[in-house]
Amino acid sequence: MLRLARLCGLSLVTIYGLEAAIGDIHRYAQSNKLVAYFGLNPSVCQSGHYEGGTALKRHGRGPLRALLIQSAKKLLQVPNPLQKWGLAVAARRGRNKAAVAVARKLCVAVWHVLRGHVIGALERLDSLQTKLGKLATDFGLAQIKALGYENKEAFIQEKLYLLKSYP
């Protein structure tokens, strides 16, 4: 779960939902399988020489698809590695289609992070520290002490060190 906290735009609620829905990432041999699981893949309409428009299939995990699209809409508003690309798509295709496209890229990034691959859409350290602070607050001081940490700050600093050491 800590590795997902490194991604831009993912809140704790989204991370909890992704972890619960995905389970073992090795069930998905390729990133497009995870994208299809969330229903973020475009459909293909072909018959003879006709090749129609491509809309979302809208099957899969609807609530988590909505969380990823909400995260993508937030990513389009704040400076991050995906914003420039997403705004270029928004200029061509519209803001909603751009949000879905960014959500799809975010889903692919989730697959890569859970597989242990190196990616570029990582969170800044100050934002990451805020996320870890919220996680520590969710745990509560009693749980943090049960895990062997003196206080909330010690928990945050050790987890930041772990996240920096991931590839």
Side-chain angles (χ1 to χ4, degrees):
M1 186 173 89
L2 278 178
R3 286 189 262 172
L4 286 181
R6 295 175 65 196
L7 284 174
C8 291
L10 293 183
S11 68
L12 289 179
V13 173
T14 307
I15 292 171
Y16 294 150
L18 287 172
E19 281 287 325
I22 293 172
D24 182 22
I25 192 63
H26 297 290
R27 294 188 313 165
Y28 309 99
Q30 300 166 341
S31 61
N32 62 348
K33 304 293 183 188
L34 184 62
V35 169
Y37 178 69
F38 289 122
L40 290 169
N41 57 330
S43 61
V44 178
C45 182
Q46 291 179 340
S47 176
H49 296 295
Y50 173 75
E51 191 168 326
T54 57
L56 282 185
K57 289 205 177 221
R58 296 188 191 262
H59 64 273
R61 305 294 293 246
L64 286 171
R65 180 175 55 245
L67 282 175
L68 283 172
I69 291 174
Q70 285 176 352
S71 296
K73 285 184 177 184
K74 183 63 178 174
L75 282 174
L76 290 173
Q77 296 172 359
V78 296
N80 62 72
L82 290 174
Q83 183 189 29
K84 184 178 177 183
W85 179 82
L87 291 177
V89 172
R92 289 190 316 267
R93 307 280 309 215
R95 208 130 171 103
N96 287 336
K97 288 186 180 180
V100 172
V102 171
R104 185 184 184 288
K105 277 197 174 265
L106 199 55
C107 187
V108 171
V110 164
W111 183 84
H112 283 289
V113 166
L114 291 177
R115 282 293 185 124
H117 303 153
V118 178
I119 62 160
L122 298 179
E123 192 78 79
R124 295 184 329 257
L125 275 180
D126 56 341
S127 299
L128 191 55
Q129 193 164 6
T130 304
K131 279 184 186 180
L132 288 173
K134 289 179 181 178
L135 180 65
T137 302
D138 284 353
F139 281 169
L141 190 57
Q143 180 66 29
I144 288 175
K145 287 190 176 190
L147 290 172
Y149 299 101
E150 291 181 22
N151 54 25
K152 182 177 163 181
E153 190 59 36
F155 172 80
I156 293 170
Q157 291 307 316
E158 182 173 326
K159 297 307 176 188
L160 271 176
Y161 176 75
L162 282 173
L163 289 174
K164 288 181 202 174
S165 65
Y166 281 136

